[in-house]
Amino acid sequence: MSDKTLNTNFRVSLLRCQSAKQIRQKLYAALVSFSDIFPTSKDAHILIKPNLNSNMNALTGNTTDLRLLDALLSYLRDQGYGAITIGEGTSSGFHREKINIFTRLCIDKLARRFNAKLLDLNYAPYEYVEFEHGEKAAVARICKEADFFINLPKLKTHFEALLSVCLKNMMGALVGLPNKQKTHRSLFKNILNLNKFVKPHLHIIDGLIAMEGTGPSSGTPIKTDVVLIGTDPYLLDLACAKIAGFDYKEIPYLRLAEERGIINQDYLNFVEAFIPKEVIRIFKRPHVNSLVRFVNHPNWQYSFIKIRLSPLVNKLFSFKSFGRLLNAAGLRQDVFDKQDLCLKDIYFEASLCDNCKKCQAYCPVGLVLPEQLHPLHEQCIGCLYCFLVCPKKAIKIKGTLGFFKEQLKRYDNITRSIA
Ligand code: SF4
Ligand code: SF4
């Protein structure tokens, strides 16, 4: 599999990787070619903003893959950068329920390996961005003030925007629930407003296991094995639309960007020449029922949000059974199970193993698997990628599954079959 870089005014690289080792090696080489834009001072404050909008394991296609985050942190450490923050303002429901996404996705354990700080952008000091209808929304100030800002989005479908990659990932920079909700009065214009205000220096897209279908809540993972790196989020989102087999004109914020002259013919020509046919996959499109479409219609959505936040309705939403009902109707991203996963052991049954080494290809921290599951290695962060990809179900876990039970029910067979 060959990687690609075209020499034009656009700076972008496309990496094709299938294992943690390849991701680490190829990302390292690619970032060396971008080294001129990194800060010269090793004391520079670097902010990394992954997509951690829910507690869904990255292999479901929903959140940023820890293999990519680990590879990026390794590169930064090797270059001598020591002041690194991983920041995310996770989406409304998880924020409201005070669910710690950093813990659930094992970001905390990974960050500890690199001495990186974690910051919940929902509670960060802020500045205001101008939104449509004269509104102002609070954006985490660190996104403006960090010496170097790296956007680390996931490639996935989105039921309202069709695609969510670099530009949409900036929604997580908005502080807290009320500010996130302000986008919805004019979602696509506000996505552009936000990206005019907050401009990461570099974007690294996780298209390893992407999401197709009705993302982000009911999508399914699709193995795309790509990582895109570049400095222009519009170009990168166009490239991702091409990879997903979507006409960019169907993606409202890209169409709007073209109308505003941000995207021009040079962008379109470049993407046409740059994306090789072999990486193009025709993603399943989001399909939403009429109730979801009605509730999320720009004309009513803002009013529904107001009703949703009234004390009585808020109380109703706190009942688990009601949450399940909403989730089944497609109106809620998750059931927001409050019980964390409590892992006591991960082990493997040698008699079931055919030594395919998939578990090793997915281990973000580079353990020699499955051998180092006996006994469980101290470097293991408990991400369960090895467990989720083992085609023989040779890797077993002990402990309380908590919120993870629901994910297993929905995705267990899918992750094993696509990995
Ligand atoms: S993925 Fe499963 S079958 Fe393959 S090497 Fe690992 S434990 Fe064995
Ligand atoms: S051994 Fe498994 S659970 Fe542990 S870090 Fe590696 S992939 Fe994750």
Side-chain angles (χ1 to χ4, degrees), residues 222-233:
I222 173 168
K223 193 166 185 279
T224 32
D225 291 332
V226 295
V227 171
L228 279 149
I229 306 166
T231 51
D232 187 324

Side-chain angles (χ1 to χ4, degrees), residues 8 12 16 49 54 58 135 154 161 259 273-274 292 296-297 317 355 390 392 397 410:
T8 66
V12 53
R16 305 181 67 189
K49 157 77 178 76
S54 79
E135 281 195 301
K154 187 83 168 179
E259 282 162 22
F274 185 70
V292 175
N296 288 288
H297 192 282
F317 270 64
N355 208 28
C390 176
K392 300 287 178 191
I397 51 178
R410 283 171 65 189

Side-chain angles (χ1 to χ4, degrees), residues 346 359 362-365 367 369 373 379-386:
I346 310 173
C359 47
Y362 278 84
C363 180
V365 297
L367 295 180
L369 298 184
L373 288 172
Q379 297 289 329
C380 170
I381 55 170
C383 65
L384 296 183
Y385 289 10
C386 56

